[in-house]
Amino acid sequence: MSEDETNVIIEAGAGVVWDELVQFCVDKNYGGIENLSIIPGSVGAAPIQNIGAYGQELKDTFLELKGIFTETGEEKIFKKSDCEFSYRSSIFKTEVANKFVITSLKLKLNKNPQIITPFKQLEEELNKQGINDLTLKDVRNTIIKIRNKKLPDPKEIGNAGSFFKNPIIAKEKYLKLKNSYPDMISYPVNGEHIKIAAGWLIEKCGWKGKRIGNVGTYKDHALVIVNYGDASGDEIFDFEGHIKHAVELKFGIRLENEVNIIS
Ligand SMILES: Cc1cc2nc3c(=O)[nH]c(=O)nc-3n(C[C@H](O)[C@H](O)[C@H](O)COP(=O)(O)OP(=O)(O)OC[C@H]3O[C@@H](n4cnc5c(N)ncnc54)[C@H](O)[C@@H]3O)c2cc1C
């Protein structure tokens, strides 16, 4: 760990539980990863899909990581610019997938944190509490409350979180769709592209809470596919195919998986 007046650099081992790192940083008032509270998994897995939630992504605070190539044993440091981070992706999910084991990573956090609450649901929940000077702890606690309410606990019902990525479409196409569906949930990406909430698309196709055998979409969150029993990989694969087909038919948008399919 090193620090100056404004920033602190934290190095964490790959085996650390991600949320324990978030908790540690929030307790110290180091800002930058509080919106990523209670994302399940390890620190080492966080860069793989550049984990993100509520307007923050790992890449926003990421400095570098260390690891080893499995075939050659060669050690390498990947700087941020080497990692090809993008929305739910990185070089570790593409070019070097399954060839490199991450052993630790460094994050640069802010000692005078800016609170980021760009999401309506988060803003509404924080406003409800009527707190004037928001702290990182307030944000973390509120995110935990929202997530616990809307996401199924993998310890109780098998699930991998969001199954699909939120599709990013051209503004022209977005404007046409928005005309037909004024309640469509979307977020601007840049001047030319808009991100559409995949959960909204799935819900509008009537697939929220729908179940076929032991597979279904979660009752409170259409983006999460749950395994209610002993569903096989093939059953889940078939189910996701139905959803993709329905969304493509209605909106002309092909959903992409956020999860990795292991064949
Ligand atoms: C209920 C729920 C909610 C979720 N919410 C979010 C969310 O809000 N945002 C988000 O981005 N994700 C979310 N996820 C997805 C998941 O939490 C993340 O992808 C997380 O990083 C997975 O961590 P893991 O340790 O379980 O990795 P695994 O699922 O075990 O592995 C994921 C991939 O990373 C690779 N990997 C793991 N560790 C290393 C390492 N040290 N070196 C190299 N490769 C490695 C694995 O080989 C695999 O390909 C959610 C999942 C669930 C179940």
Side-chain angles (χ1 to χ4, degrees), residues 177-191:
L177 284 172
K178 186 81 179 166
N179 207 18
S180 311
Y181 304 96
D183 61 331
M184 186 166 67
I185 300 173
S186 59
Y187 317 95
V189 174
N190 52 40

Side-chain angles (χ1 to χ4, degrees), residues 9-252:
I9 294 172
I10 301 262
E11 181 163 16
V16 171
V17 172
W18 170 258
D19 194 53
E20 288 180 9
L21 178 64
V22 179
Q23 172 85 67
F24 172 85
C25 295
V26 167
D27 286 347
K28 299 264 181 200
N29 202 38
Y30 299 155
I33 54 173
E34 59 285 350
N35 291 15
L36 308 181
S37 288
I38 67 164
I39 295 181
S42 63
V43 164
I48 309 294
Q49 69 158 6
N50 177 30
I51 57 168
Y54 300 99
Q56 272 179 358
E57 287 183 312
L58 181 81
K59 73 170 171 59
D60 304 335
T61 48
F62 179 90
L63 269 188
E64 63 180 41
L65 60 75
K66 273 189 210 156
I68 303 165
F69 282 98
T70 47
E71 269 190 21
T72 59
E74 181 204 344
E75 289 182 32
K76 180 166 166 146
I77 292 177
F78 280 78
K79 299 279 183 199
K80 182 175 177 171
S81 55
D82 303 324
C83 294
E84 299 177 10
F85 286 128
S86 61
Y87 169 57
R88 298 298 184 273
S89 187
S90 74
I91 195 167
F92 310 103
K93 203 172 171 181
T94 53
E95 208 179 304
V96 299
N98 305 318
K99 293 181 186 152
F100 187 77
V101 176
I102 295 163
T103 52
S104 68
L105 57 83
K106 279 188 188 170
L107 303 179
K108 187 176 179 180
L109 301 166
N110 199 326
K111 287 165 75 176
N112 307 301
Q114 305 287 314
I115 307 281
I116 310 171
T117 60
F119 278 74
K120 204 170 149 225
Q121 201 184 7
L122 178 55
E123 217 166 29
E124 277 173 8
E125 192 62 46
L126 284 164
N127 286 342
K128 248 195 249 167
Q129 297 170 38
I131 307 163
N132 286 331
D133 295 316
L134 280 179
T135 63
L136 296 183
K137 278 187 188 169
D138 296 324
V139 174
R140 173 171 165 80
N141 290 339
T142 306
I143 284 174
I144 292 175
K145 193 170 156 195
I146 296 172
R147 290 183 67 107
N148 281 341
K149 209 156 97 184
K150 75 172 187 185
L151 289 169
D153 182 348
K155 286 185 203 128
E156 287 165 18
I157 313 176
N159 78 91
S162 301
F163 201 92
F164 305 101
K165 292 184 186 179
N166 291 318
I168 295 172
I169 63 170
K171 194 168 182 182
E172 220 171 84
K173 182 167 184 163
Y174 159 78
L175 289 172
K176 275 190 198 151
L177 284 172
K178 186 81 179 166
N179 207 18
S180 311
Y181 304 96
D183 61 331
M184 186 166 67
I185 300 173
S186 59
Y187 317 95
V189 174
N190 52 40
E192 284 158 26
H193 293 95
I194 312 285
K195 194 188 273 182
I196 312 294
W200 182 90
L201 294 170
I202 297 167
E203 190 175 340
K204 281 284 155 181
C205 293
W207 280 80
K208 184 176 177 184
K210 203 161 176 169
R211 180 171 174 168
I212 301 178
N214 273 325
V215 192
T217 47
Y218 189 55
K219 62 180 175 42
D220 297 325
H221 201 338
L223 196 48
V224 180
I225 293 184
V226 291
N227 186 337
Y228 285 105
D230 298 324
S232 65
D234 281 345
E235 283 171 81
I236 293 169
F237 196 55
D238 280 353
F239 189 83
E240 63 114 32
H242 289 307
I243 292 178
K244 280 181 176 161
H245 180 69
V247 169
E248 193 163 15
L249 210 63
K250 191 172 175 78
F251 296 104

